Amino acid sequence: MNILIIEDEYSLADAVAEALKKEKFNVCIKTNGEDGEDEALTESYDLILLDVMLPKKNGFEILKFLKQEKIKTPIIMLTAKSEIDDKLNGLEHGADDYITKPFSMRELIARIKAVLKRTNRIEDTDILKFGDLKLDLKNAKLKCNDNEIQISGKELELLEQFLLNKNQILSREGLMERIWGYESEAEYNNVEVYITFIRRKLKLIDSKVNIKAVRGIGYKLEEKNDK
Ligand code: CA
């Protein structure tokens, strides 16, 4: 995910960039309106953070121009507290959201994620998908089309590992360590037992996804094509 920050306050721009990098975003900073607008027009970004009061060209002019040019990148305006009408002005001209300075990085990141989600730039992070299968992490449910089934905590943890490592073979030892821990006294065949439970549930909801055993190595998710 690439984010463009157009902000002339260096310290603020840097602090925002640092916070975003920690969230694994790629960041580019432009500190005047003209450079910011050029960058937004020529490079591809997933989101733009746009200050209002900027040297050379202000945020509203940039916003209007980008919309005229049919740039679809979502834009969050950064407005100062004193600029009371900025919010309305920005939203009227097609900004996706605004945030009032001073803001906490936590709030900013929450807003960014909400806008990215709303504009379909990121998928809901509480749902993991593979083939026709959806794992609802929040409600511990496994879904396939209109079917759904409740799963246990350990089944959820196991499935999460598979869905986060879709194309990898996961070893039984690795799964054992990650889910039951190094010091665990859990039975060595726990992984197998729970995978059997999961396979049963996959069948119950009629999913084409299966956990395939790779002999001598471990397990891998697969999607059956036929049937
Ligand atoms: Ca400014």
Side-chain angles (χ1 to χ4, degrees), residues 136-162:
D136 181 339
L137 296 171
K138 222 189 245 165
N139 302 304
K141 279 183 178 168
L142 203 50
K143 302 175 183 178
C144 173
N145 301 319
D146 291 332
N147 305 324
E148 60 172 55
I149 194 165
Q150 199 73 40
I151 54 174
S152 73
K154 289 290 177 228
E155 290 167 345
L156 180 80
E157 286 178 55
L158 262 172
L159 273 162
E160 190 181 11
Q161 290 301 319
F162 281 104

Side-chain angles (χ1 to χ4, degrees), residues 55-202:
K56 294 191 181 173
K57 194 162 186 180
N58 80 44
F60 290 129
E61 293 174 293
I62 296 171
L63 178 66
K64 258 191 228 170
F65 187 71
L66 292 178
K67 294 294 161 184
Q68 266 169 30
E69 295 295 306
K70 311 264 183 252
I71 298 291
K72 291 273 192 326
T73 314
I75 296 173
I76 299 178
M77 303 294 294
L78 308 177
T79 67
K81 220 174 191 173
S82 56
E83 299 154 340
I84 301 161
D85 294 328
D86 283 0
K87 300 168 190 174
L88 289 173
N89 208 338
L91 293 174
E92 219 167 81
H93 288 105
D96 293 86
D97 202 358
Y98 60 85
I99 187 162
T100 310
K101 293 179 193 173
F103 49 80
S104 71
M105 292 306 153
R106 216 166 147 191
E107 191 190 353
L108 178 68
I109 283 160
R111 295 288 190 92
I112 289 173
K113 287 186 175 168
V115 167
L116 289 172
K117 220 177 257 185
R118 206 166 65 220
T119 54
N120 292 320
R121 303 242 162 194
I122 50 172
E123 292 189 342
D124 199 329
T125 47
D126 295 326
I127 308 269
L128 296 175
K129 294 178 191 168
F130 180 80
D132 59 11
L133 193 67
K134 285 183 192 154
L135 176 64
D136 181 339
L137 296 171
K138 222 189 245 165
N139 302 304
K141 279 183 178 168
L142 203 50
K143 302 175 183 178
C144 173
N145 301 319
D146 291 332
N147 305 324
E148 60 172 55
I149 194 165
Q150 199 73 40
I151 54 174
S152 73
K154 289 290 177 228
E155 290 167 345
L156 180 80
E157 286 178 55
L158 262 172
L159 273 162
E160 190 181 11
Q161 290 301 319
F162 281 104
L163 286 158
L164 290 173
N165 304 285
K166 283 172 201 168
N167 298 309
Q168 291 172 37
I169 298 171
L170 302 180
S171 73
R172 190 160 75 166
E173 292 74 17
L175 288 167
M176 191 74 196
E177 276 172 21
R178 263 184 260 180
I179 291 161
W180 282 272
Y182 290 98
E183 305 294 325
S184 168
E185 302 202 345
E187 296 289 328
Y188 187 66
N189 68 354
N190 261 14
V191 172
E192 267 172 306
V193 170
Y194 277 94
I195 283 178
T196 307
F197 292 160
I198 293 169
R199 281 179 180 146
R200 239 177 257 163
K201 292 191 174 174
L202 288 168

